[in-house]
Amino acid sequence: VGIISMSKLKLIVGLGNPGQQYAKTRHNAGFWFVESIAKDFDIALYLDKKFHGMTGRGIIHGTDVRLLLPHTFMNKSGEAVIPMVNFYGIANDELLIVHDELDLDVGRMRLKTGGGHGGHNGLRDIVPHIGADFHRLRLGIGHPGHKSKVAGYVLGKPTADEQIAFETTLDAALRSLPDLVNGDLNKAQQAINSFKLPSS
């Protein structure tokens, strides 16, 4: 899917499940990315009941950006995203949703605009309400091999090697943040989609 949008981002949403027991699970890769941004830019995240999640706002590479971590559980992510998008009048090309992706290996990621929900429960709850033409950053978590194993796998913790690979991948994604927030999504897409883990 070609990206031509030059709109600056106004909202970055990380998808995941709230609660300590889920914090380090694969399904929370989206949370990890947004939490990393908050940490790097000293953006305080606080619980905002109006948007059913942790929110914050800060200047990221010269752009005024809001962050959101829905606290609704994954399959109800829309209950957080929709009110926030509507309240602040955020257009789909100003929205980036970051989520885990079974169809990509650990250490791979993809930036794309539009498309279906791909079976992802978080996206499945968002797309019917705002359409599909928002930006997505898909962080690979690999696939357990059989669909019967998926639920346990996404709610499981990465192995030590996977964790290192995740952190390397997140660091690489964060390096594209200036292009992402300022709307140079073609440049960000080239860097993100071609990223490979350094071979050990």
Side-chain angles (χ1 to χ4, degrees):
V1 182
I3 289 182
I4 42 173
S5 158
M6 291 303 283
S7 291
K8 293 190 172 200
L9 289 183
K10 287 190 180 162
L11 175 60
I12 300 175
V13 179
L15 297 186
N17 286 309
Q20 226 23 67
Q21 71 271 41
Y22 296 111
K24 293 184 163 45
T25 60
R26 295 181 177 94
H27 220 14
N28 276 32
F31 271 21
W32 302 344
F33 182 74
V34 171
E35 286 163 353
S36 297
I37 296 174
K39 189 164 150 254
D40 287 356
F41 290 89
D42 211 18
I43 298 171
L45 296 173
Y46 63 94
L47 189 62
D48 189 329
K49 292 197 166 73
K50 184 164 71 234
F51 304 124
H52 308 287
M54 303 290 288
T55 68
R57 180 185 183 184
I59 302 296
I60 299 173
H61 298 297
T63 299
D64 183 1
V65 183
R66 294 175 193 279
L67 304 176
L68 172 65
L69 300 175
H71 269 209
T72 51
F73 288 97
M74 187 66 88
N75 59 351
K76 296 200 166 144
S77 298
E79 291 176 11
V81 176
I82 311 314
M84 195 159 182
V85 162
N86 290 341
F87 186 84
Y88 292 113
I90 293 165
N92 280 7
D93 64 353
E94 300 166 331
L95 170 65
L96 175 69
I97 294 185
V98 188
H99 64 90
D100 58 308
E101 178 58 69
L102 284 160
D103 294 334
L104 291 172
D105 289 339
V106 176
R108 301 309 301 261
M109 52 185 173
R110 290 280 182 279
L111 178 67
K112 71 170 198 168
T113 301
H117 55 66
H120 193 284
N121 287 336
L123 296 181
R124 186 184 270 137
D125 197 52
I126 294 167
V127 169
H129 302 281
I130 63 170
D133 55 341
F134 50 85
H135 309 303
R136 304 104 186 270
L137 175 58
R138 302 157 62 211
L139 300 170
I141 61 169
H143 198 288
H146 194 273
K147 64 173 189 258
S148 64
K149 294 183 182 157
V150 163
Y153 178 79
V154 298
L155 295 178
K157 294 182 178 174
T159 64
D161 285 350
E162 285 175 341
Q163 189 62 41
I164 292 166
F166 275 131
E167 285 164 13
T168 308
T169 310
L170 287 176
D171 285 346
L174 290 165
R175 285 199 293 277
S176 287
L177 204 52
D179 297 323
L180 276 171
V181 296
N182 287 302
D184 193 348
L185 288 159
N186 283 320
K187 191 173 167 198
Q189 190 182 38
Q190 281 164 357
I192 285 170
N193 291 10
S194 63
F195 173 76
K196 286 188 177 71
L197 288 172
S199 43
S200 45

